[in-house]
Amino acid sequence: MKRWYRAWQRTRLGTRITLGLGALALVVFAVVGATMTGIMHGYLDRRLDEQLSKSQNTQLPLLRETHGSPQSVFSWYSALYRVRDGVATPEPGGKLPEDAKQLADIAAEAVNGDVTRNIRLRDDGPYRVRACPVDNGSVLLSAAPQKDLDATVQQLIWVEVGAFAFALAVLLVLGRLVLRRGLRPLADMAGTAHDIASHDLTADPDLPVRAAGTGGGAEVEELRTAFNVMLAHIDTSLAAKTEANERLRRFVADASHELRTPLTSIRGYADLFRYAAANEPAEREAHLAKIREETARMSVLVDDLLLLARLDARAAETPLRPERVDLAELARAAADAFAAGRPGHPLTTSSSAAPVDADPLRLRQVLDNLLTNAAVHTPPGTAVHVSVAASGSEAVVRVTDAGPGIAPADQERIFDRFFRVDDSRTRGNGGTGLGLSVVQSLVTAHGGTVSVSSEPGRTTFTVRLPLAR
Ligand code: ADP
């Protein structure tokens, strides 16, 4: 039983459906055949009964008058019985088989009314017997053979079996063909899936195949669409993953590179310091100051890297401590610091209250980075303007400078990590290329956006943050 079940589970869907169809057809054929045979049998039985009673009814009047012997039609048996004390004896002249005992019993029973019976004679096979009372204790009995009737029914059964077997064979063959055609799209899809499985996605992340073809019915079409949507989804996910990996790789490479520069400088200055300690003590301090400067640059870089990594992880330990703050106040404080630290850049401000739920230290970092850029990437004397306003559901901060601006091609990449406009004007101003990346990551972490618009003489960085409710 278990082996059968396992074999059934291994059979293909097409074969299963065909077999199921065959079994169903077999049941239908059996029911139809049995019903037809039954109806035919009943009909022939009734015909024989009618013939029996008709022949008896024509003989009865004659017998009543003459009390002679009945006529025997065809190969029928026929006799007139006299019944005395429940025992029937045949009158001479009738036609009876050798073992007529059963007939005498039926005749004895029929003295009170018509009796119809099926009997089986020893030599002649099945017979239909009809007995009816004549008068004063006489009974007319006729027996017609059922052999022909049975033969007819038998023939019908053979015809049925033949026709049904043929129909079943045609059904199975055609069904198998149609099913194979219908299931071909599924087989094709399985083939596609196999192709993808044998494709090395790490070497070439572009999935080369799709389940092609059309038709096959609504369900197959649906499945194909779902299949292709899934493939497209995997495709984009893989692409995104590859892209993220590539970005990370570049980030690590850039970070190492950026860290190597101050390290090399420090090593160089350390050598110089050792040399100066022995030969030119006056220059020692200068070398020491350089070492300090490079170390400070390095720690800024490492701080920024750490902050970016944490913001990227967006884990529970997000380095933000949000509280209700007024952005206008923060901007004023940043502006004061800027005015004190960068007297070469005239600064103007305009602000109205804009309360936000944010980490004040980090927002200050955003403002400082933008203001520092406006100072270091523009010539001395360039005017800078900071504005804070609430607009709709947003707090909007704008840092504008009247500097030379940023080329449109660079504007797209300006927020990328380690991106610096390679320009003799900005080179050597100590930037790490992380300032705007940090701004963008911090603003995004606060649920806001940052954008730039720039033309010569007017560069504006716009930060939008959700207003506190
Ligand atoms: P960093 O300032 O450390 O170089 P940033 O990410 O802050 O790095 O800026 C990236 C680049 O964008 C800078 O190198 C500079 O060329 C350009 N940039 C930023 N702000 C301005 C500005 N206000 N005016 C002109 N160029 C700017």
Coordinates of all heavy atoms in Angstrom, one line a residue, residues 126-196:
P126 N -33.4 -21.3 -18.7 CA -34.4 -20.5 -18.0 C -35.7 -20.4 -18.8 O -35.6 -20.3 -20.0 CB -33.6 -19.1 -17.9 CG -32.7 -19.1 -19.0 CD -32.2 -20.5 -19.3
Y127 N -36.7 -20.4 -18.1 CA -38.1 -20.2 -18.7 C -38.9 -19.2 -17.9 O -38.8 -19.1 -16.7 CB -38.8 -21.6 -18.7 CG -38.6 -22.3 -20.0 CD1 -37.4 -23.0 -20.3 CD2 -39.6 -22.3 -21.0 CE1 -37.2 -23.6 -21.5 CE2 -39.4 -23.0 -22.2 CZ -38.2 -23.6 -22.5 OH -38.0 -24.3 -23.6
R128 N -39.8 -18.5 -18.7 CA -40.8 -17.6 -18.0 C -42.1 -18.4 -18.0 O -42.5 -18.8 -19.1 CB -40.9 -16.4 -18.9 CG -41.7 -15.3 -18.3 CD -41.0 -14.5 -17.2 NE -41.8 -13.4 -16.8 CZ -41.5 -12.7 -15.7 NH1 -40.5 -13.1 -14.9 NH2 -42.2 -11.7 -15.4
V129 N -42.7 -18.6 -16.8 CA -43.9 -19.4 -16.8 C -45.1 -18.5 -16.4 O -44.9 -17.6 -15.5 CB -43.7 -20.5 -15.7 CG1 -45.0 -21.4 -15.7 CG2 -42.5 -21.4 -16.1
R130 N -46.2 -18.7 -17.0 CA -47.4 -17.9 -16.6 C -48.6 -19.0 -16.5 O -48.7 -19.8 -17.4 CB -47.8 -16.9 -17.7 CG -48.9 -16.0 -17.2 CD -49.1 -14.8 -18.2 NE -49.9 -13.8 -17.6 CZ -51.3 -13.8 -17.7 NH1 -51.9 -14.8 -18.3 NH2 -52.0 -12.8 -17.1
A131 N -49.2 -18.9 -15.4 CA -50.4 -19.8 -15.2 C -51.6 -19.0 -14.8 O -51.5 -18.1 -14.0 CB -50.1 -20.8 -14.1
C132 N -52.8 -19.3 -15.4 CA -54.0 -18.6 -15.0 C -55.2 -19.6 -14.9 O -55.2 -20.6 -15.7 CB -54.3 -17.5 -16.0 SG -54.6 -18.1 -17.7
P133 N -56.1 -19.4 -14.0 CA -57.2 -20.3 -13.8 C -58.2 -20.2 -15.0 O -58.4 -19.2 -15.5 CB -57.9 -19.8 -12.5 CG -57.5 -18.4 -12.3 CD -56.2 -18.2 -13.0
V134 N -58.7 -21.4 -15.4 CA -59.7 -21.4 -16.5 C -61.1 -21.4 -15.9 O -61.7 -20.4 -15.8 CB -59.5 -22.7 -17.4 CG1 -60.5 -22.6 -18.5 CG2 -58.1 -22.7 -17.9
D135 N -61.6 -22.5 -15.3 CA -62.8 -22.6 -14.5 C -62.8 -24.0 -13.8 O -62.0 -24.8 -14.1 CB -64.0 -22.3 -15.3 CG -64.2 -23.2 -16.5 OD1 -63.4 -24.1 -16.6 OD2 -65.1 -22.9 -17.3
N136 N -63.7 -24.2 -12.9 CA -63.9 -25.4 -12.1 C -62.6 -26.2 -11.9 O -62.5 -27.3 -12.3 CB -65.0 -26.2 -12.6 CG -64.8 -26.6 -14.1 OD1 -63.7 -26.6 -14.6 ND2 -65.9 -27.0 -14.7
G137 N -61.6 -25.5 -11.3 CA -60.4 -26.2 -10.9 C -59.4 -26.5 -12.0 O -58.5 -27.3 -11.8
S138 N -59.5 -25.9 -13.2 CA -58.6 -26.1 -14.3 C -57.6 -24.9 -14.3 O -58.0 -23.7 -14.0 CB -59.3 -26.2 -15.6 OG -59.9 -27.5 -15.6
V139 N -56.4 -25.1 -14.7 CA -55.4 -24.0 -14.8 C -54.7 -24.2 -16.2 O -54.2 -25.3 -16.5 CB -54.4 -24.1 -13.7 CG1 -53.2 -23.2 -14.0 CG2 -55.0 -23.7 -12.4
L140 N -54.6 -23.0 -16.9 CA -53.8 -23.0 -18.2 C -52.4 -22.5 -17.9 O -52.2 -21.5 -17.3 CB -54.5 -22.1 -19.2 CG -53.6 -21.9 -20.5 CD1 -53.4 -23.2 -21.2 CD2 -54.3 -20.9 -21.4
L141 N -51.4 -23.3 -18.2 CA -50.0 -23.0 -17.9 C -49.2 -22.9 -19.3 O -49.3 -23.8 -20.1 CB -49.4 -24.0 -17.0 CG -47.9 -23.8 -16.6 CD1 -47.7 -24.2 -15.2 CD2 -47.0 -24.6 -17.5
S142 N -48.5 -21.8 -19.4 CA -47.6 -21.7 -20.6 C -46.2 -21.3 -20.1 O -46.0 -20.5 -19.2 CB -48.1 -20.6 -21.5 OG -49.4 -20.8 -21.8
A143 N -45.2 -21.8 -20.8 CA -43.8 -21.5 -20.4 C -43.0 -21.2 -21.7 O -42.9 -21.9 -22.6 CB -43.1 -22.7 -19.7
A144 N -42.4 -20.0 -21.7 CA -41.7 -19.5 -22.8 C -40.2 -19.4 -22.5 O -39.8 -19.0 -21.4 CB -42.2 -18.1 -23.2
P145 N -39.3 -19.9 -23.4 CA -37.9 -19.9 -23.1 C -37.3 -18.5 -23.0 O -37.7 -17.6 -23.8 CB -37.3 -20.7 -24.2 CG -38.2 -20.5 -25.4 CD -39.6 -20.3 -24.8
Q146 N -36.4 -18.2 -22.1 CA -35.8 -16.9 -21.9 C -34.4 -16.9 -22.6 O -33.7 -15.9 -22.4 CB -35.6 -16.6 -20.4 CG -36.9 -15.9 -19.9 CD -36.7 -15.5 -18.4 OE1 -36.3 -16.4 -17.6 NE2 -37.0 -14.3 -18.1
K147 N -34.0 -18.0 -23.2 CA -32.7 -18.1 -23.8 C -32.4 -17.0 -24.8 O -31.3 -16.3 -24.7 CB -32.5 -19.4 -24.5 CG -31.5 -20.3 -23.9 CD -31.2 -21.5 -24.8 CE -32.4 -22.2 -25.3 NZ -32.4 -23.6 -25.7
D148 N -33.3 -16.7 -25.7 CA -33.1 -15.6 -26.7 C -32.9 -14.3 -26.0 O -32.1 -13.5 -26.4 CB -34.3 -15.6 -27.6 CG -34.4 -16.9 -28.4 OD1 -33.4 -17.7 -28.4 OD2 -35.4 -17.1 -29.1
L149 N -33.8 -14.1 -25.0 CA -33.8 -12.8 -24.3 C -32.4 -12.6 -23.7 O -31.8 -11.5 -23.8 CB -34.9 -12.8 -23.3 CG -35.2 -11.5 -22.4 CD1 -36.6 -11.5 -22.1 CD2 -34.3 -11.5 -21.2
D150 N -32.0 -13.6 -23.0 CA -30.7 -13.5 -22.3 C -29.5 -13.3 -23.3 O -28.6 -12.5 -23.1 CB -30.4 -14.8 -21.5 CG -31.2 -14.8 -20.2 OD1 -31.8 -13.7 -19.9 OD2 -31.2 -15.8 -19.5
A151 N -29.7 -14.0 -24.5 CA -28.7 -13.9 -25.5 C -28.6 -12.4 -26.0 O -27.5 -11.8 -26.2 CB -28.9 -14.8 -26.6
T152 N -29.8 -11.8 -26.2 CA -29.9 -10.4 -26.6 C -29.2 -9.5 -25.6 O -28.3 -8.7 -26.0 CB -31.3 -10.0 -26.8 OG1 -32.0 -11.0 -27.6 CG2 -31.4 -8.6 -27.4
V153 N -29.5 -9.7 -24.3 CA -28.9 -8.9 -23.3 C -27.4 -9.1 -23.3 O -26.6 -8.1 -23.2 CB -29.5 -9.2 -21.9 CG1 -28.8 -8.4 -20.8 CG2 -31.0 -8.7 -21.9
Q154 N -27.0 -10.3 -23.4 CA -25.6 -10.6 -23.4 C -24.8 -9.9 -24.5 O -23.8 -9.3 -24.3 CB -25.4 -12.2 -23.6 CG -24.0 -12.7 -23.1 CD -23.9 -12.6 -21.6 OE1 -24.9 -12.8 -20.9 NE2 -22.7 -12.2 -21.1
Q155 N -25.5 -9.9 -25.7 CA -24.9 -9.3 -26.8 C -24.8 -7.8 -26.6 O -23.7 -7.1 -26.9 CB -25.9 -9.5 -28.0 CG -25.1 -9.5 -29.3 CD -26.1 -9.9 -30.5 OE1 -27.3 -10.2 -30.2 NE2 -25.6 -9.8 -31.7
L156 N -25.8 -7.2 -26.0 CA -25.8 -5.8 -25.7 C -24.6 -5.5 -24.8 O -23.9 -4.5 -25.0 CB -27.1 -5.4 -25.0 CG -27.2 -3.9 -24.6 CD1 -27.3 -3.0 -25.8 CD2 -28.4 -3.7 -23.6
I157 N -24.4 -6.4 -23.8 CA -23.4 -6.1 -22.8 C -22.0 -6.1 -23.5 O -21.2 -5.2 -23.3 CB -23.4 -7.2 -21.7 CG1 -24.6 -6.9 -20.8 CG2 -22.1 -7.1 -20.9 CD1 -24.8 -8.0 -19.7
W158 N -21.8 -7.1 -24.5 CA -20.6 -7.1 -25.2 C -20.4 -5.9 -26.1 O -19.3 -5.3 -26.1 CB -20.5 -8.4 -26.1 CG -20.1 -9.6 -25.2 CD1 -20.8 -10.8 -25.1 CD2 -18.9 -9.8 -24.5 NE1 -20.2 -11.6 -24.3 CE2 -19.0 -11.0 -23.8 CE3 -17.8 -9.0 -24.2 CZ2 -18.0 -11.5 -23.0 CZ3 -16.9 -9.5 -23.3 CH2 -17.0 -10.7 -22.8
V159 N -21.4 -5.5 -26.7 CA -21.3 -4.2 -27.5 C -21.0 -3.0 -26.6 O -20.1 -2.3 -27.0 CB -22.7 -4.0 -28.2 CG1 -22.7 -2.6 -28.9 CG2 -22.9 -5.0 -29.3
E160 N -21.6 -3.0 -25.5 CA -21.3 -1.9 -24.6 C -19.9 -1.9 -24.1 O -19.1 -0.9 -24.2 CB -22.2 -2.0 -23.3 CG -23.6 -1.4 -23.5 CD -24.4 -1.6 -22.3 OE1 -23.9 -2.2 -21.3 OE2 -25.6 -1.2 -22.3
V161 N -19.4 -3.1 -23.7 CA -18.0 -3.2 -23.2 C -17.1 -2.8 -24.3 O -16.1 -2.0 -24.1 CB -17.7 -4.6 -22.8 CG1 -16.2 -4.8 -22.6 CG2 -18.5 -4.9 -21.5
G162 N -17.3 -3.3 -25.6 CA -16.4 -2.9 -26.7 C -16.4 -1.4 -26.9 O -15.3 -0.8 -27.0
A163 N -17.6 -0.8 -27.0 CA -17.7 0.6 -27.3 C -17.0 1.4 -26.2 O -16.3 2.4 -26.5 CB -19.2 1.0 -27.4
F164 N -17.3 1.1 -24.9 CA -16.8 1.8 -23.8 C -15.2 1.7 -23.8 O -14.5 2.6 -23.5 CB -17.4 1.4 -22.5 CG -18.8 1.8 -22.4 CD1 -19.7 1.3 -21.4 CD2 -19.3 2.8 -23.2 CE1 -21.0 1.7 -21.3 CE2 -20.6 3.3 -23.1 CZ -21.5 2.7 -22.1
A165 N -14.8 0.5 -24.0 CA -13.3 0.3 -24.0 C -12.6 1.2 -25.1 O -11.6 1.8 -24.8 CB -13.0 -1.2 -24.3
F166 N -13.3 1.2 -26.3 CA -12.7 2.0 -27.3 C -12.7 3.5 -26.9 O -11.7 4.2 -27.1 CB -13.5 1.8 -28.6 CG -13.1 2.6 -29.8 CD1 -11.9 2.4 -30.4 CD2 -13.8 3.7 -30.2 CE1 -11.4 3.1 -31.4 CE2 -13.4 4.5 -31.3 CZ -12.2 4.2 -31.9
A167 N -13.9 3.9 -26.4 CA -14.0 5.3 -26.0 C -13.0 5.7 -24.9 O -12.3 6.7 -24.9 CB -15.4 5.6 -25.4
L168 N -12.8 4.7 -24.0 CA -11.8 4.9 -22.9 C -10.4 5.1 -23.5 O -9.6 6.0 -23.1 CB -11.8 3.8 -21.9 CG -11.1 4.0 -20.6 CD1 -11.9 5.0 -19.8 CD2 -11.1 2.7 -19.8
A169 N -10.1 4.2 -24.4 CA -8.7 4.3 -25.0 C -8.5 5.6 -25.7 O -7.5 6.3 -25.5 CB -8.5 3.1 -26.0
V170 N -9.5 6.0 -26.5 CA -9.4 7.3 -27.2 C -9.3 8.5 -26.2 O -8.4 9.4 -26.4 CB -10.7 7.5 -28.1 CG1 -10.7 9.0 -28.6 CG2 -10.7 6.6 -29.2
L171 N -10.1 8.4 -25.2 CA -10.1 9.4 -24.1 C -8.7 9.5 -23.5 O -8.1 10.6 -23.3 CB -11.1 9.1 -23.0 CG -11.3 10.2 -22.0 CD1 -12.3 11.2 -22.5 CD2 -11.9 9.6 -20.7
L172 N -8.1 8.4 -23.2 CA -6.8 8.4 -22.5 C -5.7 8.9 -23.5 O -4.9 9.8 -23.1 CB -6.4 7.0 -22.1 CG -7.2 6.4 -20.9 CD1 -6.7 5.1 -20.5 CD2 -7.2 7.4 -19.7
V173 N -5.7 8.5 -24.7 CA -4.7 8.9 -25.7 C -4.8 10.4 -25.9 O -3.9 11.2 -25.8 CB -4.8 8.1 -27.0 CG1 -3.9 8.8 -28.0 CG2 -4.4 6.7 -26.7
L174 N -6.1 10.9 -26.2 CA -6.3 12.3 -26.5 C -6.0 13.1 -25.3 O -5.4 14.2 -25.4 CB -7.7 12.5 -27.0 CG -8.0 12.2 -28.5 CD1 -9.4 12.6 -28.8 CD2 -7.0 12.9 -29.4
G175 N -6.5 12.6 -24.1 CA -6.3 13.4 -22.9 C -4.9 13.6 -22.6 O -4.4 14.7 -22.2
R176 N -4.1 12.5 -22.8 CA -2.6 12.6 -22.6 C -2.0 13.7 -23.5 O -1.2 14.5 -23.0 CB -2.0 11.2 -22.8 CG -0.6 11.1 -22.4 CD -0.5 10.8 -21.0 NE 0.9 11.0 -20.5 CZ 1.4 12.1 -20.0 NH1 0.6 13.1 -19.9 NH2 2.6 12.2 -19.6
L177 N -2.4 13.7 -24.8 CA -1.9 14.6 -25.7 C -2.2 16.1 -25.3 O -1.3 16.9 -25.3 CB -2.5 14.3 -27.1 CG -1.7 13.3 -27.9 CD1 -2.5 13.1 -29.3 CD2 -0.3 13.7 -28.2
V178 N -3.5 16.3 -25.0 CA -4.0 17.6 -24.7 C -3.3 18.1 -23.4 O -2.8 19.2 -23.3 CB -5.5 17.6 -24.5 CG1 -5.9 19.0 -23.9 CG2 -6.2 17.4 -25.8
L179 N -3.2 17.2 -22.5 CA -2.6 17.6 -21.2 C -1.1 17.9 -21.4 O -0.6 18.9 -20.8 CB -2.7 16.4 -20.2 CG -4.0 16.5 -19.4 CD1 -4.1 15.2 -18.6 CD2 -4.0 17.7 -18.5
R180 N -0.4 17.1 -22.2 CA 1.0 17.3 -22.4 C 1.2 18.7 -23.0 O 2.1 19.5 -22.6 CB 1.6 16.3 -23.3 CG 3.1 16.3 -23.4 CD 3.7 15.2 -24.1 NE 3.5 13.9 -23.3 CZ 3.8 12.7 -23.8 NH1 4.2 12.6 -25.0 NH2 3.6 11.7 -23.0
R181 N 0.3 19.0 -24.0 CA 0.4 20.4 -24.6 C 0.2 21.5 -23.6 O 0.8 22.5 -23.5 CB -0.6 20.5 -25.7 CG -0.2 19.9 -27.0 CD -1.0 20.4 -28.1 NE -0.8 21.8 -28.3 CZ -0.7 22.4 -29.4 NH1 -0.8 21.7 -30.5 NH2 -0.5 23.7 -29.5
G182 N -0.9 21.2 -22.8 CA -1.3 22.2 -21.8 C -0.3 22.4 -20.7 O -0.1 23.6 -20.2
L183 N 0.5 21.4 -20.4 CA 1.4 21.5 -19.3 C 2.8 21.9 -19.8 O 3.7 22.1 -19.0 CB 1.5 20.2 -18.5 CG 0.3 19.7 -17.8 CD1 0.5 18.4 -17.1 CD2 0.0 20.8 -16.7
R184 N 2.9 22.0 -21.1 CA 4.3 22.3 -21.6 C 4.8 23.7 -21.0 O 6.0 23.8 -20.7 CB 4.3 22.4 -23.1 CG 5.7 22.5 -23.7 CD 5.8 22.3 -25.1 NE 5.3 21.0 -25.5 CZ 4.7 20.7 -26.7 NH1 4.5 21.7 -27.6 NH2 4.2 19.6 -27.0
P185 N 4.0 24.7 -21.0 CA 4.5 26.0 -20.4 C 5.1 25.8 -19.0 O 6.1 26.4 -18.6 CB 3.2 26.9 -20.3 CG 2.3 26.4 -21.4 CD 2.6 24.9 -21.4
L186 N 4.4 24.9 -18.2 CA 5.0 24.7 -16.8 C 6.3 24.0 -16.9 O 7.3 24.4 -16.2 CB 4.0 23.8 -16.1 CG 2.6 24.3 -15.8 CD1 1.9 23.4 -14.9 CD2 2.8 25.7 -15.1
A187 N 6.5 23.1 -17.8 CA 7.8 22.4 -18.0 C 8.8 23.4 -18.5 O 9.9 23.4 -18.0 CB 7.6 21.3 -19.0
D188 N 8.4 24.4 -19.4 CA 9.3 25.4 -19.8 C 9.8 26.3 -18.6 O 10.9 26.6 -18.5 CB 8.6 26.3 -20.8 CG 8.4 25.6 -22.2 OD1 9.0 24.5 -22.3 OD2 7.7 26.1 -23.0
M189 N 8.8 26.6 -17.8 CA 9.2 27.5 -16.6 C 10.1 26.7 -15.7 O 11.1 27.3 -15.2 CB 7.9 27.8 -15.8 CG 7.4 29.2 -16.2 SD 5.9 29.5 -15.3 CE 4.7 29.2 -16.5
A190 N 9.9 25.4 -15.5 CA 10.8 24.6 -14.7 C 12.2 24.7 -15.3 O 13.2 24.8 -14.6 CB 10.3 23.2 -14.6
G191 N 12.2 24.6 -16.7 CA 13.5 24.6 -17.4 C 14.2 25.9 -17.1 O 15.4 26.0 -16.8
T192 N 13.4 27.0 -17.2 CA 14.0 28.4 -16.9 C 14.6 28.4 -15.5 O 15.7 28.9 -15.3 CB 12.9 29.4 -17.1 OG1 12.3 29.3 -18.3 CG2 13.5 30.8 -16.9
A193 N 13.8 27.9 -14.6 CA 14.3 27.9 -13.2 C 15.6 27.1 -13.1 O 16.5 27.5 -12.4 CB 13.2 27.3 -12.3
H194 N 15.7 26.0 -13.8 CA 16.9 25.2 -13.7 C 18.1 26.0 -14.3 O 19.2 25.9 -13.8 CB 16.7 23.9 -14.5 CG 16.0 22.8 -13.7 ND1 16.5 22.4 -12.5 CD2 14.9 22.1 -13.9 CE1 15.7 21.5 -12.0 NE2 14.7 21.3 -12.8
D195 N 17.8 26.7 -15.4 CA 18.8 27.5 -16.1 C 19.4 28.5 -15.1 O 20.6 28.7 -15.0 CB 18.3 28.2 -17.3 CG 18.1 27.3 -18.5 OD1 18.6 26.2 -18.4 OD2 17.6 27.8 -19.5
I196 N 18.5 29.1 -14.4 CA 18.9 30.2 -13.4 C 19.7 29.5 -12.3 O 20.7 30.0 -11.8 CB 17.7 30.9 -12.8 CG1 17.0 31.7 -14.0 CG2 18.1 31.8 -11.7 CD1 15.7 32.3 -13.6

